[in-house]
Amino acid sequence: MREQVVVAGAGIIGSVIVRQILAERPGTEIIAIDRDLVGSGASRRSAGLHFPVGRTERVRAMTEMSERYYQALAARDPSLPIYPVAMHAVAFGAAAEAAWRNFIKAGPIETSPPACRRVAMGQPVGASVWSVPGCHYTDVATLAGRLVREFRSAISLLEGVAVANIREEAGAAVLVLSTGETLRADRLILAPGPWVNAPAWRALVAPLGIRIKKIIALHLDAPVEKADAAVVFPEEDAFLLPLQHRGHWLFSYTCLDWDVDPDAPQPGVSRQNLDEAQAVLRRYAPELVEKLRSGRVFCDAYSPSREPIVARVGASGRIIFAGAANGSGYRLAPAIAAETLRLLDD
């Protein structure tokens, strides 16, 4: 009898997990469930920026693994929305040396303005800069949809269906769906993105200590040129990204609104959000500050350690949580999937 695995969540993490189960565990019967359409949660609003950095050895290893994965995807199908982008990092004083050590294969720290015009605008006097190789960005929702389209006929996909209840029984995880249908799964993988407090699994996930934070990314009204590079500001956990496929820049900064409800974020970008973002950007590129006028508001899940969580939850050992990627769900999704499959094999 074929093993049945249910994956709850069809954002980028859940979609890559399903893809890898099909590739590495042929014969597995997979049911993927999402409360909305594929890629419609945090994946829809994600900047989709990948750059090789990590504050811990595990995250750096996950970053390198994920980079290889996405490079292979793009090589296999160049039509996928995976866009290479040059990147430079900018920091001040001693903070530059500390931040530089977290980057993988980074160029040397320099103090002269780089050739890229946009980066020079983001490098004030007294700042240091270094190149960051191996970067790209993605239209994450479109990529998730493309991946799912490839394997949709090999799985059962339930979109617009919520999980109402989960219980553990001998030999199975039992799910009751919003449609009234009941599923019995040999294994259940929870990849809910920021919806970690959904009633069906809140008690299972609570011991992990995950918190939900608001994410703000502002749209910067400046033309995008083909040679423009992204700029990351590691001291601020912020970046400027030229979105070639949309024709504008994105400025992401760290909003510190914690313990928010992903179903009820404040609608739209607030004046406070603009003030916070402008204060950060003013330190690096004051001439761009007034070009921040709109953007996107969403939420993501953060772990206590600031490393992604891939762990068994519940009493039976049949349920795995995969996520809490701290704003790096796209960047680390392939490595999160790999760790999830290792738990399935244990």
Side-chain angles (χ1 to χ4, degrees):
M1 187 174 179
R2 294 200 298 168
E3 181 181 47
Q4 185 179 78
V5 175
V6 172
V7 179
I12 189 63
I13 292 176
S15 299
V16 174
I17 287 172
V18 171
R19 185 176 188 267
Q20 291 312 107
I21 293 173
L22 289 170
E24 299 181 29
R25 297 169 66 94
T28 302
E29 181 182 351
I30 301 173
I31 302 175
I33 306 169
D34 198 278
R35 66 201 297 276
D36 204 330
L37 300 180
V38 168
S40 291
S43 296
R44 180 184 173 195
R45 295 170 176 82
S46 169
L49 178 60
H50 170 88
F51 56 102
V53 69
R55 292 186 176 90
T56 68
E57 184 176 346
R58 176 183 172 229
V59 173
R60 287 191 289 273
M62 295 178 80
T63 298
E64 289 189 286
M65 182 269 166
S66 295
E67 183 177 331
R68 293 191 296 271
Y69 185 95
Y70 288 128
Q71 286 175 342
L73 268 185
R76 183 181 63 87
D77 184 356
S79 73
L80 290 174
I82 298 175
Y83 309 108
V85 64
M87 175 181 276
H88 298 273
V90 176
F92 289 95
E97 183 70 29
W100 179 86
R101 288 194 291 268
N102 292 329
F103 286 80
I104 301 165
K105 297 176 290 188
I109 297 175
E110 301 176 353
T111 56
S112 58
C116 175
R117 178 172 61 83
R118 296 295 184 194
V119 180
M121 289 167 61
Q123 186 198 354
V125 174
S128 298
V129 63
W130 60 94
S131 61
V132 182
C135 305
H136 72 262
Y137 75 93
T138 300
D139 181 341
V140 182
T142 298
L143 179 64
R146 291 281 298 274
L147 295 180
V148 170
R149 187 178 70 183
E150 289 185 6
F151 59 65
R152 187 167 188 145
S153 62
I155 69 168
S156 295
L157 175 61
L158 305 178
E159 294 178 284
V161 174
V163 179
N165 181 262
I166 296 170
R167 65 179 184 271
E168 297 177 273
E169 295 183 356
V174 180
L175 297 85
V176 179
L177 307 183
S178 59
T179 58
E181 182 179 357
T182 298
L183 300 176
R184 295 179 62 86
D186 297 304
R187 305 289 190 96
L188 168 61
I189 299 169
L190 301 176
W195 285 275
V196 296
N197 293 317
W201 50 70
R202 180 189 298 136
L204 292 168
V205 174
L208 301 176
I210 298 168
R211 299 176 68 187
I212 307 303
K213 188 173 78 66
K214 183 186 287 186
I215 306 292
I216 307 290
L218 281 300
H219 295 174
L220 193 153
D221 294 331
V224 176
E225 299 175 7
K226 189 172 183 180
D228 283 337
V231 191
V232 62
F233 310 109
E235 290 180 82
E236 314 287 354
D237 196 14
F239 60 81
L240 277 166
L241 174 64
L243 294 176
Q244 299 283 352
H245 74 296
R246 285 179 59 95
H248 68 85
W249 287 75
L250 190 77
F251 179 62
S252 176
Y253 80 101
T254 301
C255 175
L256 295 178
D257 290 351
W258 288 95
D259 304 316
V260 295
D261 181 353
D263 284 321
Q266 181 178 345
V269 176
S270 71
R271 182 66 251 178
Q272 178 181 339
N273 300 147
L274 282 176
D275 289 343
E276 292 170 345
Q278 288 175 347
V280 174
L281 189 58
R282 188 172 287 111
R283 188 181 183 200
Y284 299 90
E287 68 276 17
L288 299 180
V289 165
E290 297 305 320
K291 296 181 182 295
L292 297 177
R293 300 179 61 196
S294 64
R296 57 190 72 178
V297 181
F298 59 111
C299 301
D300 209 351
Y302 284 68
S303 70
S305 68
R306 297 299 183 266
E307 293 188 355
I309 296 176
V310 180
R312 291 189 179 89
V313 295
S316 67
R318 294 180 176 274
I319 304 175
I320 297 171
F321 176 87
N326 312 290
S328 297
Y330 169 73
R331 189 165 66 90
L332 301 178
I336 291 170
E339 291 190 3
T340 302
L341 264 67
R342 285 196 287 271
L343 279 187
L344 285 178
D345 290 334
D346 287 348

